[in-house]
Amino acid sequence: MQKVKLSFSMVLIVVILTSFIRPSASKEKLQWMTLAEAEQKMKSEKKIILIDLYTDWCGWCKVMDKKTYANADVAKYLNEKFYPVKINAETKETLTWNGKPFSFNTQAGVSNYALYLTKGQLSFPSTVIIPKEGAAPQTIPGYIETKDMELVLKYFGEGNFEKVAFRDFQKNFISTWK
């Protein structure tokens, strides 16, 4: 009986002590911003812009949020090297980029900005990279897994897009993110 009381007491002490321990905040969280915020930040610090172009009804967009963008390596790298922007392609809000307003296109059912980014080839999700000021948007349609996102992010984030063709970079790239 004494042994049972002692075991129960030990378990109780462990439970009480561990209840005060909080999990470490080591999981990096992606800091999404609006297009206007990214454009404003570009005035003081030049960075690459990554746009997650999504819709509310897109299942693969939700998977990409839960898997790829929730990955700690992806989030940390994006927060450091990019201005990550999330845009609902079906927003009815007028978006402004480089002083030009983009309204909702009633015929297409999407923002004219989404049409501009994708050159009219809508696909969701789409990842759009604007590598530098004045550069044309680089659109990657479809779901991107973490290992493939690493390839894309490091190609642009390390400035390789200005030095080597993507196919050549891809041949020698070894992914480390899981």
Side-chain angles (χ1 to χ4, degrees), residues 85-108:
V85 175
K86 200 165 206 29
I87 297 177
N88 184 340
E90 297 176 324
T91 185
K92 293 194 166 95
E93 176 185 333
T94 297
L95 300 173
T96 302
W97 179 248
N98 289 332
K100 182 179 178 192
F102 292 86
S103 59
F104 183 75
N105 185 314
T106 53
Q107 285 184 309

Side-chain angles (χ1 to χ4, degrees), residues 33 37-49 79-83 133:
M33 58 183 64
E37 289 169 336
E39 191 169 33
Q40 185 63 37
K41 285 188 173 264
M42 285 289 283
K43 292 176 183 174
S44 60
E45 184 181 1
K46 303 292 184 210
K47 284 188 179 182
I48 298 161
I49 295 176
N79 287 336
E80 287 175 6
K81 303 261 187 179
F82 291 75
Y83 290 129
E133 199 169 4

Side-chain angles (χ1 to χ4, degrees), residues 151-169:
L151 170 68
V152 170
L153 295 182
K154 289 189 176 174
Y155 179 70
F156 287 99
E158 303 300 321
N160 292 298
F161 71 98
E162 294 181 303
K163 302 172 198 164
V164 63
F166 182 76
R167 291 196 192 282
D168 294 335
F169 180 76

Side-chain angles (χ1 to χ4, degrees), residues 1-176:
M1 184 71 158
Q2 185 112 358
K3 207 174 195 180
V4 171
K5 284 184 182 179
L6 186 59
S7 294
F8 179 73
S9 297
M10 292 300 284
V11 168
L12 187 59
I13 289 170
V14 170
V15 168
I16 290 170
L17 289 175
T18 58
S19 68
F20 292 108
I21 299 171
R22 294 196 175 173
S24 68
S26 64
K27 181 144 176 132
E28 185 89 19
K29 186 158 173 57
L30 190 48
Q31 303 299 314
W32 292 108
M33 58 183 64
T34 66
L35 186 62
E37 289 169 336
E39 191 169 33
Q40 185 63 37
K41 285 188 173 264
M42 285 289 283
K43 292 176 183 174
S44 60
E45 184 181 1
K46 303 292 184 210
K47 284 188 179 182
I48 298 161
I49 295 176
L50 175 138
I51 299 173
D52 174 33
L53 191 62
Y54 74 97
T55 63
D56 290 333
W57 51 263
C58 169
W60 283 108
C61 298
K62 291 173 177 72
V63 173
M64 200 156 158
D65 277 341
K66 288 180 184 170
K67 291 188 176 185
T68 307
Y69 289 126
N71 178 283
D73 292 320
V74 171
K76 184 175 191 243
Y77 197 84
L78 275 171
N79 287 336
E80 287 175 6
K81 303 261 187 179
F82 291 75
Y83 290 129
V85 175
K86 200 165 206 29
I87 297 177
N88 184 340
E90 297 176 324
T91 185
K92 293 194 166 95
E93 176 185 333
T94 297
L95 300 173
T96 302
W97 179 248
N98 289 332
K100 182 179 178 192
F102 292 86
S103 59
F104 183 75
N105 185 314
T106 53
Q107 285 184 309
V110 295
S111 168
N112 279 318
Y113 191 62
L115 292 169
Y116 161 73
L117 291 174
T118 62
K119 297 176 184 73
Q121 302 297 310
L122 295 170
S123 178
F124 305 110
S126 278
T127 303
V128 182
I129 308 281
I130 302 174
K132 59 185 178 179
E133 199 169 4
Q138 305 294 311
T139 304
I140 306 158
Y143 172 77
I144 303 174
E145 291 183 14
T146 300
K147 64 181 177 59
D148 298 322
M149 182 61 86
E150 179 185 9
L151 170 68
V152 170
L153 295 182
K154 289 189 176 174
Y155 179 70
F156 287 99
E158 303 300 321
N160 292 298
F161 71 98
E162 294 181 303
K163 302 172 198 164
V164 63
F166 182 76
R167 291 196 192 282
D168 294 335
F169 180 76
Q170 186 178 27
K171 285 177 193 172
N172 300 317
F173 184 79
I174 299 170
S175 178
T176 59

